[in-house]
Amino acid sequence: MVTCGTLYIVATPIGNRADLSERARQVLAEVDLIAAEDTRHSGQFLAQLGIKKPLFSLHDHNEADKASVLLEKLQTGLNIALVSDAGTPLVSDPGYRLVAAVGEAGLSVVPIPGACAAIAALSVAGLATDRFVFEGFLPSRSVARRARLDALVAETRTLVFYEAPHRIVECLQEMGAVLGVERRAVLARELTKLHESIYRGSLGGLAVQAAADSNMTRGEAVLVVAGAPEAPTGAESGNRQVDKLLTTLLLHVPLSQAVDLTVEISGERRNRVYDRALALKNAV
Ligand code: SAM
């Protein structure tokens, strides 16, 4: 009877090649086949390590079909490694269907842990890490993105997002409008690379900074955002309602009109709403 092979889920660096673990290097050198998101990219990476192995393409669009082919190969006794372009496979990367199929078939799946941009960003953000939620990429369509953020308004755990560089400014502005411009946040870009930089501030402040500094929107980035405060008091929830109304209205109508509408809807005092509107307008 043939002994089934093992599927290794191998993390590769997110920038600095020295972050590849010794164990990862050894597994990549010993397996029979390497499944990769982009075989050209991974082929170059492996060539730099002096490793030459048969490569098998596995990406989001072919994974459902290719998972069963890989499962058959494991059942014939081949050992297989799965890598993605960078970091830990399956974290905003392909592999979930393959791991599910192999696990369900009763074959062994072994993690070879290493770099992950979300965890690296969290480790330097200085925001609460006892409880956090990984949100991956927000939807690219604005209605869906807004709906996703709306659903996170009361989330008290630290939020971790991946974002494409060209959407950083828009994303910070929208997060400020929905979650509150004063919410603490950290933008961690180009982690482990030459131009690694960590920006700390409020969502409103970071949005202004990113709009003015094109360096901030170059390369790869993770956004870590503080969770909402636990159980707001009556006054805090009133403030939040006023902020939410104002930030939305200020995007569409002049300040005085935004104040009038907010006073009418919330019943709050005009002076207080006006001061708040000025503060929000200056922050964004
Ligand atoms: N599997 C990867 C991991 O373990 O982090 C993530 C892959 S996902 C397709 C790519 C996203 O991860 C980028 O758009 C960016 O948000 C984030 N990312 C990857 N490398 C990064 C780096 N060196 N610095 C900051 N963010 C990074």
Side-chain angles (χ1 to χ4, degrees), residues 64 71 100 105 119 128 139 159 181 203:
L71 177 58
I119 299 299
L159 304 159
V181 283
L203 282 172

Side-chain angles (χ1 to χ4, degrees), residues 4-281:
C4 290
T6 294
L7 174 66
Y8 296 92
I9 306 302
V10 181
T12 56
I14 55 169
N16 190 323
R17 291 189 183 274
D19 289 338
L20 184 77
S21 75
E22 195 43 51
R23 188 167 168 234
R25 187 187 296 265
Q26 198 180 325
V27 166
L28 291 172
E30 285 173 3
V31 289
D32 302 294
L33 178 74
I34 298 177
E37 188 183 3
D38 177 342
T39 49
R40 210 171 73 95
H41 174 94
S42 295
Q44 286 167 356
F45 171 70
L46 292 164
Q48 284 164 4
L49 300 174
I51 296 173
K52 190 155 173 49
K53 293 281 162 169
L55 291 169
F56 186 97
S57 161
L58 185 93
H59 48 72
D60 277 335
H61 305 293
N62 70 5
E63 186 177 345
D65 296 335
K66 296 297 166 99
S68 53
V69 179
L70 286 170
L71 177 58
E72 278 166 24
K73 291 184 186 293
L74 288 162
Q75 282 164 334
T76 65
L78 293 183
N79 288 316
I80 299 177
L82 172 69
V83 296
S84 59
D85 288 355
T88 302
L90 280 82
V91 178
S92 287
D93 269 338
Y96 147 74
R97 294 184 195 85
L98 172 64
V99 170
V102 174
E104 269 163 35
L107 275 61
S108 58
V109 184
V110 173
I112 309 293
C116 173
I119 299 299
L122 258 181
S123 73
V124 292
L127 297 171
T129 49
D130 51 341
R131 295 168 71 230
F132 61 87
V133 39
F134 177 63
E135 280 291 321
F137 290 96
L138 285 169
S140 55
R141 281 185 35 254
S142 113
V143 175
R145 194 165 62 230
R146 185 75 184 221
R148 179 79 57 85
L149 287 173
D150 277 336
L152 291 170
V153 169
E155 174 57 68
T156 55
R157 292 171 291 182
T158 297
L159 304 159
V160 184
F161 300 91
Y162 283 165
E163 195 46 277
H166 63 279
R167 271 203 229 111
I168 291 286
V169 175
E170 194 188 343
C171 175
L172 284 165
Q173 287 170 341
E174 207 158 346
M175 284 180 175
V178 179
L179 306 177
V181 283
E182 284 156 2
R183 191 79 82 90
R184 307 306 300 163
V186 172
L187 177 71
R189 63 173 281 273
E190 294 290 87
L191 292 168
T192 78
K193 301 184 194 174
L194 184 61
H195 297 293
E196 174 179 283
S197 22
I198 317 288
Y199 302 87
R200 303 167 198 277
S202 62
L203 282 172
L206 287 173
V208 172
Q209 204 183 341
D213 176 2
S214 60
N215 277 332
M216 245 174 111
T217 55
R218 286 205 184 104
E220 299 192 281
V222 181
L223 253 168
V224 187
V225 181
E230 299 277 348
T233 61
E236 280 168 347
S237 93
N239 289 345
R240 211 178 282 163
Q241 191 207 6
V242 165
D243 279 10
K244 197 165 177 213
L245 282 168
L246 283 172
T247 40
T248 304
L249 289 167
L250 283 169
L251 293 174
H252 304 286
V253 296
L255 186 132
S256 60
Q257 205 180 339
V259 170
D260 289 345
L261 288 166
T262 304
V263 168
E264 201 175 319
I265 297 166
S266 69
E268 291 286 342
R269 282 187 299 118
R270 193 168 204 292
N271 281 357
R272 210 184 68 72
V273 173
Y274 185 75
D275 288 346
R276 207 58 209 129
L278 279 183
L280 291 170
K281 190 141 186 97

